Amino acid sequence: MSMFEDKKSKNTSISELGEFGLIDHITKTFKSKNTSTIKAVGDDAAVVKIKSDKLQLISTDMLIEGVHFDLSYVPLKHLGYKAVSVNISDICAMNSKANQITVSIAISNRFPVEAVEELYSGIQLACEKYNIDLIGGDTTSSTSGLIISVTVIGEAKAEKISYRSGAKVNDLVVVTGDLGAAYLGLQILKREKDIFLSNPGVQPDLGGNDYSLQRQLKPEARVNLVEVLDLLDIVPNSMIDVSDGLTSEILHLSKCSDVGITIYEDKIPIDHTTMNLAKELNLNPIFCALNGGEDYELLFTISQEHYEKLKKDVDFTIIGHVTDKSEGNNFITKDLSSHPITAQGWDPIKNNV
Ligand code: ADP
Ligand code: MG
């Protein structure tokens, strides 16, 4: 049961269309936009043209109902959009451009055709927004929940690709946008779900939290900022996207690059609405920004020579620097005390901030 259920909507059983009818129904409105897409949906395999001066990037993510999403508070259209944008974010995190996706779904018969349509309307919206072609997938049945697997194909010149492993001592550590909002959006949705479950007559009260809800339900891949980096002639020495939380990604970069990373509390970018909402929910905003996850911002390191090019752009915040491995990973709080960043994440409550 969903908090957002539209009681008036039609319910067409998937068996009325059959598997092939369903595939045709959900894919027929997708039109390819990229010249590299030679054959999309409709044959035994998709055909994609590879430019000889570029490398191809491939990434897959699987989303499972009850593990990665909860349909009682995630509208299917948003889920479709998010499934695509988080995959594109992985290609952005390599400083590369995404061109095609395949989408595979496993659905139980509790989903009517209209639910699959909703899911695909979100997938299509993301394809339009990011100029991506849907070139294939697979459709199968599931005995329980909904499973979505998206594979994305991208491209980049070899010298433009940023790996997790390239951070160098004295690099600046940069993060895009702001952090913590998506986590707070999730807390709001969970709160409303609990209220709804104890009193299904009550309509969810999501008012006034548009930003954090949008960050949770409809995250955007930072494609535009990868383009900005290209225009500024910056290739990050290392890069990752913030899916699990800033501290977790800092640990990935430092481990893969065999360096240490120091970041500063007073530099962490947090939107003022995130600040206010965290206080309202009795949460520490720094905790949300460090450990929250699902912000899908980009975290990267650059050589100091690029400092002037980025310092005035509000989309990029320098939050720290890369050190020798022996210094470890550290979080410097406002009182200038240093706290090691651990795999458990960094807890400002435990650390008395
Ligand atoms: P096959 O039997 O060869 O696996 P399918 O009948 O599964 O072929 O798929 C037919 C076409 O539809 C293929 O191009 C496939 O990539 C595409 N397709 C199947 N399911 C989906 C889906 N859920 N989303 C997008 N394309 C799909
Ligand atoms: Mg198939």
Side-chain angles (χ1 to χ4, degrees):
M1 183 163 53
S2 163
M3 306 198 292
F4 303 108
E5 204 142 48
D6 177 1
K7 305 275 183 321
K8 295 185 296 292
S9 70
K10 258 179 66 211
N11 278 346
T12 311
S13 155
I14 288 175
S15 58
E16 276 179 48
L17 286 179
E19 185 195 321
F20 300 128
L22 179 68
I23 295 171
D24 193 44
H25 184 68
I26 57 184
T27 58
K28 69 180 175 214
T29 58
F30 285 77
K31 300 274 175 287
S32 292
K33 302 171 281 286
N34 290 293
T35 51
S36 56
T37 305
I38 306 299
K39 177 74 194 179
V41 173
D43 214 311
D44 293 308
V47 182
V48 173
K49 193 178 178 82
I50 303 172
K51 294 195 194 77
S52 61
D53 63 334
K54 290 191 174 172
L55 297 183
Q56 193 163 37
L57 296 101
I58 301 163
S59 177
T60 298
D61 264 306
M62 193 184 283
L63 299 173
I64 297 177
E65 184 179 358
V67 179
H68 303 102
F69 58 89
D70 181 337
L71 286 179
S72 61
Y73 56 73
V74 175
L76 281 161
K77 184 170 180 179
H78 288 80
L79 181 65
Y81 192 93
K82 183 170 176 173
V84 177
S85 58
V86 303
N87 269 276
I88 296 173
S89 178
D90 279 322
I91 300 295
C92 289
M94 303 296 290
N95 200 37
S96 303
K97 184 184 177 316
N99 292 325
Q100 288 94 7
I101 53 166
T102 64
V103 176
S104 297
I105 52 172
I107 24 174
S108 73
N109 55 17
R110 91 178 144 89
F111 291 94
V113 170
E114 286 75 12
V116 187
E117 279 173 1
E118 274 296 295
L119 180 72
Y120 270 74
S121 71
I123 291 172
Q124 188 154 27
L125 194 62
C127 285
E128 298 299 328
K129 160 94 198 226
Y130 297 108
N131 203 32
I132 303 282
D133 296 331
L134 174 76
I135 58 164
D138 200 20
T139 306
T140 179
S141 56
S142 142
T143 47
S144 52
L146 173 66
I147 298 172
I148 309 167
S149 175
V150 178
T151 296
V152 59
I153 302 170
E155 63 175 20
K157 292 206 171 113
E159 65 273 20
K160 290 270 181 183
I161 298 177
S162 298
Y163 297 88
R164 295 181 180 183
S165 54
K168 296 188 178 58
V169 176
N170 294 327
D171 270 6
L172 300 172
V173 178
V174 184
V175 72
T176 61
D178 58 82
L179 301 172
Y183 174 77
L184 289 172
L186 183 62
Q187 305 316 308
I188 294 282
L189 289 167
K190 283 182 171 164
R191 181 187 73 184
E192 293 306 315
K193 180 190 175 182
D194 289 342
I195 295 172
F196 178 77
L197 287 179
S198 54
N199 189 349
V202 177
Q203 277 298 300
D205 173 18
L206 303 170
N209 299 308
D210 297 3
Y211 183 62
S212 58
L213 287 168
Q214 185 217 319
R215 295 280 283 173
Q216 169 57 226
L217 292 172
K218 193 171 172 282
E220 301 290 354
R222 291 308 220 154
V223 174
N224 53 334
L225 298 183
V226 171
E227 287 166 8
V228 170
L229 290 175
D230 190 38
L231 288 173
L232 294 173
D233 214 8
I234 297 174
V235 178
N237 288 337
S238 67
M239 182 143 71
I240 191 168
D241 65 333
V242 182
S243 52
D244 294 336
L246 182 65
T247 51
S248 168
E249 317 307 354
I250 291 276
L251 292 174
H252 281 307
L253 283 188
S254 61
K255 183 163 185 257
C256 294
S257 298
D258 217 22
V259 293
I261 290 179
T262 294
I263 60 169
Y264 295 84
E265 177 182 6
D266 63 353
K267 303 281 189 239
I268 307 290
I270 301 177
D271 190 75
H272 70 276
T273 59
T274 306
M275 283 285 186
N276 294 339
L277 182 56
K279 280 180 198 135
E280 197 187 309
L281 297 177
N282 248 324
L283 292 165
N284 183 314
I286 291 288
F287 175 85
C288 301
L290 291 180
N291 305 320
E294 293 201 281
D295 293 307
Y296 297 102
E297 295 293 348
L298 298 171
L299 173 71
F300 57 91
T301 75
I302 53 171
S303 307
Q304 299 221 3
E305 61 178 290
H306 296 307
Y307 171 73
E308 291 294 326
K309 296 191 231 172
L310 277 190
K311 71 170 186 195
K312 284 200 206 77
D313 193 326
V314 293
D315 288 324
F316 300 96
T317 308
I318 296 164
I319 60 169
H321 58 270
V322 177
T323 66
D324 191 83
K325 188 186 184 179
S326 61
E327 296 187 36
N329 299 299
N330 297 290
F331 182 63
I332 314 291
T333 48
K334 282 181 181 147
D335 61 4
L336 297 184
S337 61
S338 178
H339 308 259
I341 299 172
T342 65
Q344 281 71 46
W346 190 84
D347 187 346
I349 317 267
K350 225 170 55 209
N351 286 277
N352 241 325
V353 174

